[in-house]
Amino acid sequence: MSNRMLTLMMGMVAFLILVVGAVFVVALAGGGDDDDSTPGSSDDERPRSNGKGICSGNSLIVPGSDPASVLDPIQVGDVATSEYVVEIFGGLVTLDPDLKVQPDIAQSWDITNGGKTYTFKLRDDVVFHTGNARRVTAEDVKYSIERAADPSNASPTVRAYLGNIVGLRDRYENKAASVSGVKVIDDRTIQIDLIEPSDYFLSELTYPVAFVVDRQQIEANPRNWTQKPSGTGPFKLAEFKPAEKIRLVRNDRYHLGAPKLDEVVFELGGGSLLTRYENDEIHIGYIPASLLDSVKDGSNALAKEYRPVPNMAVFYFTLNPQKAPFDDPKVRQAFALTIDRETLNSVLLYDAYRVADGFLPPEMPGYTESVSSYDYDVDRAKQLLAESKYAGNLPRIVLSYSGTGAAPGDLLVAVQERWQETLGVTIELQAIDSSAFLREQRRGNFQMHSDGWAADYPDPEDFLGKLFASDSTLNYTGYKNAEVDRLLLAARTEQDRTRRFAMYADAEQLILDDAVVVPTFWPVEHVIVKPCVQGYPNVSMTVPKYRFVEIKAE
């Protein structure tokens, strides 16, 4: 989320022990909400249920996070913001809860020219949220892509996700006035030409940077349009009170079918999610890690409402190969060999996560079980460190993490202590404000940091090509391995999916061998859902999902 960036990572583990499943819902918010948002007038605008209980109304109430950026699709770089943006906006195509690409604004498309030309036919019933209900045309699609590529808008994601479109990079670098590869054929037909064929281009178009925005609204109010953005999605933004709530209401004219719910209310405040769930204040909650055993064995009353949802994401440490001492691969490998994931997960996390012995999560198409990171081996680590050019002379090491300056989480402290004890190094933990963390990460300034990645779309390219290809704008550390580049480049254009996935597996193993990243855990959300909530999908990544949900009184 960049892409869906997981900014808090391991520094939040003290919180995870209380509510481990809420990491994606609560822990991902940074700063940077829309300061111009106007609070509502009521002292308490929580949806009422006519005094008959939470299941008697048609408002779904769920925990949420303050967005880390404004609600502008071309600026989205985190999970929290995308949760709202995918419901408000839409693009040519979308992902359904089964993670399959489906038509959205486009009703059909043809692929020609050896996979390098996509011609989309638009639906004729797609309208923007604004009162005039203006219909979306091919000109709106072209405008939205060119706005994303406009260097004055400084989108952090457009080159990574749409850079294969002919002329987009030239526009982003201000070498051209338009994106030559996007052509309006007529009001309902748009053609997109690619530099090279891509098996995953349609999946990339499901990412927010490719969403269609309302040109008339933006040009009429360029500074404040994100206060109440006019998208084409299944829900409209009705209210945003930072640190309190976000309220989305049903779009009755949604072209894929109006949602069954009247509204979705995301409550942004604090408090125990489990307590609020048990008090019938929210429909969706999360099980604390300390209660997982009782829920799983059925002895807890909430067992029937529990559902584990593995996330298509990974937590890891990044060891910057451009910064000493991690410019020496033996030092990186020594650090990778001294993280005891199994013990950390069982002792500190109550086995709430899954131990990540690879980078791609098991839910990812192309996941290969035989790909593996380094096992825990202290003796081998000490040997490698002694063979490194920094033997006996390691420089100061700083492990940075996203946080507010408070005490680091138990997991980070445990990892710090284990490295210090086994390798004889001194490691300083450094908390950095989440917005500053993302900024410094993009600049490649960290020596070592706690990191994470959540899927933008279900394809290995989103994890491996985006983060580790030397020509990727998201490869913030400047990692470069000629064989990895060769494999990723070949996979990028390979049209046979089986061969392509095999190339990614080979590249992933080389990346893990280089130890520029050390995967730790694949996260799991431990969700509880009120029985009256029907159709709530168990989906491993952020997709527009609330239009499928309904509340049926018990």
Side-chain angles (χ1 to χ4, degrees):
M1 247 182 126
S2 166
N3 58 20
R4 292 161 193 173
M5 188 65 67
L6 311 180
T7 58
L8 231 40
M9 296 312 108
M10 312 283 231
M12 271 308 278
V13 169
F15 173 75
L16 298 182
I17 292 174
L18 297 177
V19 190
V20 71
V23 62
F24 287 91
V25 180
V26 176
L28 294 169
D33 51 51
D34 193 338
D35 291 334
D36 294 321
S37 297
T38 303
S41 58
S42 173
D43 291 334
D44 183 3
E45 296 185 36
R46 180 176 298 159
R48 304 297 183 182
S49 299
N50 302 320
K52 299 178 181 179
I54 196 172
C55 289
S56 63
N58 202 31
S59 298
L60 184 72
I61 308 171
V62 299
S65 301
D66 273 296
S69 69
V70 294
L71 299 177
D72 180 349
I74 70 171
Q75 300 299 338
V76 174
D78 67 291
V79 174
T81 311
S82 69
E83 181 83 5
Y84 313 118
V85 166
V86 299
E87 302 289 350
I88 298 169
F89 296 90
L92 290 168
V93 291
T94 187
L95 289 174
D96 66 19
D98 294 323
L99 305 184
K100 304 298 184 185
V101 174
Q102 301 290 352
D104 188 346
I105 293 173
Q107 68 179 21
S108 63
W109 53 86
D110 293 316
I111 306 172
T112 56
N113 189 25
K116 294 196 294 184
T117 297
Y118 285 69
T119 304
F120 296 90
K121 195 70 174 180
L122 308 189
R123 298 174 62 105
D124 63 0
D125 59 349
V126 183
V127 297
F128 288 108
H129 293 164
T130 48
N132 62 7
R134 185 172 68 84
R135 292 187 183 276
V136 174
T137 69
E139 288 289 353
D140 294 303
V141 178
K142 180 175 175 63
Y143 165 78
S144 299
I145 294 175
E146 294 197 329
R147 175 177 176 270
D150 187 337
S152 67
N153 291 322
S155 169
T157 59
V158 65
R159 286 182 297 169
Y161 294 89
L162 301 182
N164 193 25
I165 296 176
V166 171
L168 187 135
R169 290 179 183 268
D170 285 344
R171 179 67 190 103
Y172 189 86
E173 295 169 4
N174 227 7
K175 296 177 181 177
S178 63
V179 179
S180 59
V182 180
K183 303 168 184 174
V184 173
I185 307 302
D186 56 43
D187 275 357
R188 291 185 55 207
T189 311
I190 191 157
Q191 176 180 308
I192 299 178
D193 295 321
L194 304 184
I195 298 170
E196 56 192 21
S198 170
D199 184 42
Y200 52 87
F201 176 63
L202 288 174
S203 293
E204 288 185 311
L205 288 180
T206 67
Y207 188 68
V209 75
F211 288 175
V212 174
V213 293
D214 187 344
R215 179 176 188 170
Q216 289 185 8
Q217 182 193 37
I218 293 172
E219 292 182 347
N221 191 7
R223 288 182 57 85
N224 299 316
W225 70 273
T226 55
Q227 289 184 31
K228 195 172 183 180
S230 173
T232 63
F235 290 90
K236 301 183 284 186
L237 179 65
E239 182 182 8
F240 176 21
K241 298 176 72 173
E244 293 187 32
K245 76 169 70 171
I246 287 177
R247 187 164 61 90
L248 304 181
V249 299
R250 178 175 60 211
N251 175 13
D252 288 318
R253 295 196 62 177
Y254 185 55
H255 50 279
L256 298 180
K260 300 177 178 69
L261 297 167
D262 290 337
E263 62 181 9
V264 182
V265 179
F266 298 86
E267 300 218 338
L268 313 180
S272 166
L273 296 180
L274 179 60
T275 299
R276 296 175 68 194
Y277 181 86
E278 292 178 321
N279 289 341
D280 279 349
E281 297 175 13
I282 54 178
H283 291 93
I284 309 295
Y286 298 90
I287 292 292
S290 58
L291 297 181
L292 281 178
D293 284 346
S294 66
V295 170
K296 291 178 179 179
D297 67 20
S299 61
N300 190 301
L302 294 173
K304 293 182 179 179
E305 299 168 26
Y306 167 70
R307 54 176 80 174
V309 182
N311 288 146
M312 198 182 295
V314 61
F315 293 159
Y316 57 97
F317 290 102
T318 294
L319 312 181
N320 192 337
Q322 311 303 325
K323 304 283 187 182
F326 300 118
D327 57 332
D328 187 329
K330 291 186 176 182
V331 175
R332 298 196 303 268
Q333 291 162 3
F335 274 72
L337 285 160
T338 44
I339 296 182
D340 188 353
R341 303 170 182 84
E342 295 283 357
T343 299
L344 290 170
N345 193 38
S346 62
V347 173
L348 289 180
L349 297 178
Y350 299 88
D351 288 319
Y353 284 168
R354 299 165 295 168
V355 170
D357 58 357
F359 198 74
L360 292 182
E363 295 71 34
M364 176 64 72
Y367 166 76
T368 303
E369 189 174 0
S370 61
V371 173
S372 181
S373 183
Y374 291 94
D375 293 329
Y376 184 64
D377 188 337
V378 172
D379 291 338
R380 176 61 177 153
K382 290 179 177 179
Q383 178 186 346
L384 287 169
L385 200 60
E387 294 172 359
S388 76
K389 66 181 180 181
Y390 293 101
N393 191 32
L394 280 171
R396 172 175 173 264
I397 296 176
V398 177
L399 170 55
S400 302
Y401 65 97
S402 179
T404 60
D410 291 350
L411 183 56
L412 274 181
V413 172
V415 171
Q416 175 198 33
E417 291 176 350
R418 181 58 57 93
W419 276 332
Q420 291 182 154
E421 291 170 2
T422 57
L423 300 179
V425 300
T426 300
I427 297 175
E428 174 187 340
L429 297 179
Q430 179 186 59
I432 299 178
D433 172 78
S434 58
S435 58
F437 181 91
L438 287 174
R439 182 185 67 245
E440 294 305 302
Q441 182 187 47
R442 289 168 183 159
R443 294 173 178 174
N445 286 340
F446 293 134
Q447 185 184 29
M448 174 169 60
H449 64 278
S450 179
D451 209 342
W453 191 262
D456 304 304
Y457 53 88
D459 192 280
E461 168 67 18
D462 182 52
F463 278 60
L464 303 177
K466 294 289 187 283
L467 294 179
F468 302 107
S470 62
D471 63 349
S472 172
T473 58
L474 302 181
N475 179 359
Y476 299 131
T477 65
Y479 166 71
K480 185 176 178 63
N481 178 312
E483 180 61 12
V484 169
D485 276 343
R486 186 191 69 79
L487 286 165
L488 293 178
L489 179 60
R492 200 160 66 192
T493 57
E494 176 59 58
Q495 299 301 292
D496 182 284
R497 195 159 293 178
T498 300
R499 286 199 295 265
R500 190 163 69 86
F501 286 170
M503 293 173 187
Y504 283 124
D506 290 343
E508 181 185 5
Q509 188 61 68
L510 290 173
I511 292 163
L512 293 173
D513 291 347
D514 280 344
V516 289
V517 291
V518 184
T520 53
F521 304 109
W522 294 311
V524 178
E525 287 183 313
H526 297 280
V527 184
I528 39 180
V529 181
K530 292 292 182 183
C532 62
V533 176
Q534 303 293 309
Y536 186 84
N538 298 335
V539 61
S540 60
M541 57 173 284
T542 303
V543 299
K545 63 188 178 186
Y546 291 104
R547 72 183 179 94
F548 301 102
V549 179
E550 59 183 317
I551 296 174
K552 292 186 176 180
E554 299 172 87

